[in-house]
Amino acid sequence: MSRTVRFPAFTGATSASYDGWTAQAFGELGYRFGWPGAMIEPFVGTSVLRLHTDAFRESGGAAALSGFGHNNDLGTTTLGVRAETRLSQDLPLTLRGLVGWRHAYGDVEPESLLALAGGASPFTVSGVPVDRDALLAEAGLDWQTSNGVSLGIAYSGQIGTRAQDHTLKGNFIWRFQDGLRRRRHQYRAPPSTSKASAPKRATS
């Protein structure tokens, strides 16, 4: 990692190398209720994330920093419901959506403890905070053009008091596994033409 430091009457460059690691675990539990052409699924999910950063010391003069090793732990809990329905029996269009509430706990405002070279008093630098409570929303429309091909468009968003995240994407899916299965079932091994010879009996 390298950076350039500039302010009036000073210009410098620093560099450092350090390691870190990330561990994550997550799970979800839901129950699906189905009707002809529609389904609804309430669910609850949880996730835990730990980010570890090793200590480091920059080189490069008076602007060089020393960083202390630290861990950031973040957990989330999500409550929501998914729904899906086919708009018409004749038209292969499927509408799907999700609405939920996500609560974050732990280190929602990441911090790092740094110090300038020369033994100055350490200070704390804060990163971009994560909203403790956020609204989740998803909506999508899929068109099944054939048995193996579908087209779709989807929106997903996360809305909090501090930040918002909105995503719009399209997808093209081509499934060909069914054809492979049919070809595999049609294959028959040729009959064996080899014959086992009977063991010979020794005579004296």
Side-chain angles (χ1 to χ4, degrees), residues 19-87:
D19 297 322
W21 52 265
T22 302
Q24 184 178 19
F26 57 89
E28 184 178 289
L29 180 64
Y31 189 84
R32 178 173 296 189
F33 300 91
W35 299 273
M39 77 89 183
I40 187 171
E41 180 184 10
F43 69 91
V44 57
T46 184
S47 68
V48 178
L49 172 68
R50 163 163 283 197
L51 172 63
H52 172 78
T53 304
D54 291 342
F56 67 90
R57 183 184 297 272
E58 289 183 329
S59 59
L65 293 173
S66 295
F68 297 82
H70 64 282
N71 295 318
N72 285 325
D73 298 316
L74 180 67
T76 63
T77 300
T78 305
L79 297 174
V81 59
R82 296 186 183 92
E84 182 178 301
T85 184
R86 182 162 178 170
L87 298 181

